[in-house]
Each structure stands twice: as C-alpha cells, then as structure tokens.
Amino acid sequence: MSLLTEANFGASLPIDGYGPGFFRVAGEVHRGNLWLMADQKGDWGGVDDLAALEALAGQIDLLFIGTGQQLAHLPKSLVEALAAKGIMCEPMATPTAARSYNVLLSEGRRVGCALLAMPEKD
C-alpha cells in the first residue's frame, strides 16, 4: 500500500481548480487569463502582454505558460524577451501548466505561470 503526501503550500498561492473562463487560486475565483507566482497574482492580457511577465524578473526562474486547451507555440519575441530578463519559459496546455506550477510551488521553487483561460462553453 502506498500513501500519498498532501502538498503543503504554506502561504503560497496554489491553483485549486479551473473551468470555462476562470481559475480558483487559494480559494478565490479569478475570471479570465491570469499570471501567478508564489505570493502575487493578476490579470494577464495574453501572449502580447509582455510587461506583466517581465515584471516577474528577479522573482522567478521558470514560467509555465498555459496556451489554452492545446499546446501552442509561443512567439519567438516573447521567449527571447523573457530569457533576456532571466526567465526561462515553458509552454504547455493550460491544465498541464497549472499542475506543473503546483508541483514546483510545493517544492519551494521560484516558479510562476501565465495561463490562458479555458474557453467558455456555448
């Protein structure tokens, strides 16, 4: 028999869940796209909103970028601009990015994520 250890996030902001057009972060609902790190969160305008992500420089080393339901390529200019600020970014589908962020956050890593919200259902 194996036992699972529940993740301990301390005072950090984990992603508790998500759905069409929203994320639940540390028990609070956030509507729309989101950037997030251990102790801060905010609205994100999408892959063209570089300023919000560049502001994380010096606070995180790795940024997971959730590209929606499917993995999508990031604009080269975004990847290069973040690298110039010392932030390595990793694109992945939004659900995968949210899970990966939580795992590394629970390990105390300097990680952040920027997530495109899942589409609203018709």
Side-chain angles (χ1 to χ4, degrees):
M1 179 170 129
S2 63
L3 298 175
L4 296 176
T5 303
E6 186 173 327
N8 180 1
F9 295 104
S12 296
L13 300 171
I15 300 168
D16 301 325
Y18 61 89
F22 76 92
F23 298 95
R24 194 173 66 241
V25 177
E28 294 182 15
V29 172
H30 179 98
R31 300 231 172 256
N33 302 335
L34 166 77
W35 66 262
L36 177 67
M37 58 178 277
D39 62 351
Q40 301 173 47
K41 66 180 174 127
D43 293 327
W44 181 46
V47 295
D48 294 327
D49 184 5
L50 184 56
L53 305 182
E54 286 182 321
L56 303 176
Q59 301 175 78
I60 64 171
D61 301 315
L62 175 62
L63 179 70
F64 293 114
I65 300 182
T67 59
Q69 286 183 300
Q70 303 293 323
L71 171 63
H73 291 285
L74 298 174
K76 185 177 179 181
S77 59
L78 173 68
V79 175
E80 290 175 348
L82 292 174
K85 296 281 187 179
I87 300 172
M88 182 178 79
C89 63
E90 183 70 37
M92 48 187 64
T94 293
T96 306
R99 288 189 302 272
S100 299
Y101 165 80
N102 278 352
V103 169
L104 270 63
L105 183 68
S106 73
E107 294 173 354
R109 303 273 302 273
R110 288 175 20 119
V111 64
C113 62
L115 305 172
L116 294 176
M118 302 300 284
E120 300 276 344
K121 297 194 187 222
D122 295 331

